Amino acid sequence: MSFKLDHNLSNYHWEARCCMGCAGCKYGDWIFAPANHEFAWICPEWQWGQFDNWGATGRTRLIDALLVGDLDYSDPLIIEAAFRCFGCGACDVGCKRNLDLEILMMNQSLKVALVDHGYGPMPVHKMISSRIADTGNYYGCNQADRKKWVTDDIKVADKADVLFFVGCMSSFKDQAVAQATARIMNKAGVDFMLLDEEVCCGNLLYSTGQLKKFKGAARLNLKKIKDTGAKTVVCTCADCYRNIKVEYPKVLEMATADLGFEVLHIAELTDKLAKDGKIKAKKEMNMKVTYHDACSLGRLSEPWIPWEGERDAEDWSMLKPRRQFRRGTNGCYEPPRDLIRGISGIELVEMGRHHHNAYHAGEGGGVKEAFPETAQFAANMRVKEAGVTGASAIVTPCVHSKETLSEALPRVNNNIQKVYHLAELVDEAYE
Ligand code: SF4
Ligand code: SF4
């Protein structure tokens, strides 16, 4: 029977039935790591809950029971398990080491199914989505203030090939990141424009299963971007980047390659500018730092490729036509590291969990809003892990993980003194 990679939960009954309980979605790549070592875990939800219900393995059992009618969508067990998931994708890359099951699409489709049946999202998610609809931004701020981050020293073009999609957090809350990003482009001679009125990318809508509303946000933003004629969209928020590059094409059933413009994170653009000699690291910064691979720039950032076909029961259930899998290993991992290593005096040390095995920092999936104890657990764990490296600072390419990790610093109280967004560090060191 034909099926496609969309958000229809029944398309993932195969995943629910074929999970073999191997725990590849529970622990990282290191099969030699002591089981239950606090930094061996890769699923923050499961590590928080310490019971299979809170991880992908348990969820496959719950979904199988749902799809054969042994469980009802109203069951609190399944609702809470679904909405405590960060959508970080660590389970997905873990599972694809062996089986290529579409575990993240399954998790996400469960949220969509719960919303469609009237059992989600959580009340706080509904409140925020109304706020986005009413105001155009996550925080409910006055849209007229969206460009207040643009200070006199920053040059914004009326028309350019590059469009800077700033995002709600950098526009209203952490404006230093927007300013640093703009200054990097100014210093390198990259002219950029802004949307007349940018609206929220819809990150919370997608990650809490509000598919219809997210499709509306995707269509609106894509129209706004296309109307500018931009050839390149630059994001400094890793979540805006993933949404425009991956989730918009995914929900609108098209390929990233067909967007009609390229989507770059500031890490990718700056790395290219540095390698082309357009900016150079001038300032010496004597410190030891560790880099946090934000999921949205790392394992979740591979281009979306639609697929529709069937499993051939006569041929070992092979997929026909054959498809190219997104396994998370081709995310953006080296450009930020190269930029950091390029700064004289900085020593970059890796945490135990890095690249596609990175541990989540507690900011996604609407979990921080609905289940703050689970989000704080994940952020604390990541700061503890960063502290073990001996670093005094964490560098992240994501405004949201900068926030959650910064909030965790006083709770953990170890040697980590500061969390930088990558753009802030680069702006400080490069001319
Ligand atoms: S890695 Fe895949 S097969 Fe193994 S337990 Fe997790 S979901 Fe099941
Ligand atoms: S997406 Fe992340 S939080 Fe959710 S089940 Fe997978 S590893 Fe756990």
Side-chain angles (χ1 to χ4, degrees):
M1 199 169 70
S2 181
F3 69 101
K4 60 182 170 182
L5 279 180
D6 61 10
H7 293 87
N8 182 346
L9 186 61
S10 61
N11 283 336
Y12 306 98
H13 202 179
W14 173 268
E15 274 67 18
R17 284 173 32 241
C18 289
C19 164
M20 59 183 180
C22 66
C25 52
K26 182 180 192 179
Y27 298 122
D29 249 347
W30 317 276
I31 51 171
F32 50 82
N36 211 28
H37 184 286
E38 62 178 350
F39 301 144
W41 290 75
I42 201 164
C43 173
E45 182 191 7
W46 202 343
Q47 187 175 16
W48 168 83
Q50 294 285 315
F51 187 61
D52 285 6
N53 184 51
W54 306 113
T57 309
R59 204 152 308 151
T60 60
R61 277 39 172 181
L62 294 171
I63 289 170
D64 185 36
L66 261 185
L67 293 174
V68 299
D70 287 346
L71 253 186
D72 189 77
Y73 286 94
S74 61
D75 195 311
L77 185 74
I78 204 151
I79 297 170
E80 209 181 311
F83 288 102
R84 274 191 199 268
C85 168
F86 292 98
C88 71
C91 51
D92 197 73
V93 299
C95 194
K96 285 176 176 151
R97 288 201 294 268
N98 288 328
L99 287 187
D100 271 337
L101 299 182
E102 289 293 345
I103 295 299
L104 184 59
M105 287 299 292
M106 178 194 77
N107 285 347
Q108 191 58 30
S109 301
L110 174 61
K111 289 187 184 180
V112 172
L114 285 164
V115 170
D116 287 348
H117 283 80
Y119 298 109
M122 300 291 101
V124 65
H125 302 147
K126 289 182 188 163
M127 185 274 287
I128 296 168
S129 62
S130 302
R131 202 165 68 192
I132 294 170
D134 291 345
T135 66
N137 65 79
Y138 176 96
Y139 299 104
C141 295
N142 184 348
Q143 280 286 86
D145 294 339
R146 213 177 231 284
K147 294 181 185 169
K148 278 201 167 167
W149 63 268
V150 182
T151 45
D152 289 345
D153 61 317
I154 290 170
K155 201 175 120 213
V156 179
D158 292 332
K159 190 84 187 149
D161 286 344
V162 173
L163 171 72
F164 177 20
F165 192 95
V166 187
C168 296
M169 182 173 254
S170 306
S171 297
F172 294 109
K173 206 170 173 200
D174 194 348
Q175 297 176 326
V177 173
Q179 288 157 352
T181 306
R183 276 196 296 267
I184 292 168
M185 290 192 276
N186 281 172
K187 281 189 249 188
V190 176
D191 290 340
F192 69 87
M193 58 183 164
L194 300 170
L195 284 174
D196 286 341
E197 190 189 341
E198 188 182 296
V199 295
C200 177
C201 72
N203 189 46
L204 181 107
L205 306 177
Y206 180 72
S207 64
T208 58
Q210 301 181 72
L211 194 59
K212 286 191 192 112
K213 289 181 181 168
F214 182 70
K215 280 185 185 174
R219 288 195 188 98
L220 177 62
N221 275 319
L222 287 183
K223 177 169 186 329
K224 281 174 177 273
I225 292 169
K226 284 188 174 162
D227 285 351
T228 68
K231 294 186 178 133
T232 302
V233 174
V234 172
C235 302
T236 200
C237 170
D239 289 326
C240 294
Y241 167 80
R242 170 182 49 81
N243 283 312
I244 298 171
K245 179 178 172 184
V246 182
E247 316 300 3
Y248 288 0
K250 185 190 292 179
V251 300
L252 299 178
E253 303 196 14
M254 61 193 283
T256 295
D258 296 330
L259 277 173
F261 52 84
E262 70 172 338
V263 189
L264 294 178
H265 187 272
I266 188 64
E268 296 169 303
L269 176 67
T270 315
D271 180 56
K272 186 170 180 324
L273 293 169
K275 282 169 183 160
D276 289 349
K278 302 275 173 51
I279 53 169
K280 289 192 169 65
K282 294 267 173 71
K283 183 177 171 186
E284 187 163 322
M285 298 179 83
N286 289 308
M287 59 179 176
K288 189 188 272 195
V289 304
T290 188
Y291 177 71
H292 167 71
D293 284 287
C295 318
S296 289
L297 185 64
R299 59 187 165 232
L300 301 180
S301 73
E302 292 175 13
W304 181 253
I305 308 163
W307 181 87
E308 184 168 4
E310 57 191 342
R311 291 186 190 280
D312 187 347
E314 306 294 316
D315 187 13
W316 295 89
S317 295
M318 295 283 284
L319 290 175
K320 305 231 168 126
R322 297 191 75 160
R323 57 170 285 233
Q324 190 179 332
F325 281 85
R326 299 166 67 248
R327 300 193 176 98
T329 48
N330 291 320
C332 175
Y333 298 115
E334 297 317 316
R337 287 176 168 80
D338 287 347
L339 287 166
I340 298 168
R341 286 193 199 101
I343 302 171
S344 171
I346 281 202
E347 183 186 352
L348 174 64
V349 282
E350 294 287 357
M351 287 185 261
R353 294 170 288 188
H354 55 84
H355 289 70
H356 58 286
N357 282 303
Y359 191 77
H360 188 57
E363 74 277 15
V367 179
K368 186 175 186 232
E369 291 85 348
F371 303 104
E373 66 282 8
T374 310
Q376 288 178 14
F377 171 87
N380 291 357
M381 196 56 70
R382 194 61 167 154
V383 170
K384 277 171 81 177
E385 184 183 8
V388 171
T389 65
S392 62
I394 302 173
V395 184
T396 171
C398 170
V399 279
H400 295 118
S401 56
K402 181 192 164 192
E403 180 185 51
T404 53
L405 294 170
S406 299
E407 288 168 354
L409 296 187
R411 293 196 300 265
V412 176
N413 194 23
N414 63 4
N415 43 301
I416 301 295
Q417 302 295 312
K418 183 168 178 171
V419 183
Y420 286 91
H421 187 285
L422 178 74
E424 295 172 295
L425 188 76
V426 168
D427 177 42
E428 198 174 327
Y430 284 69
E431 293 294 335

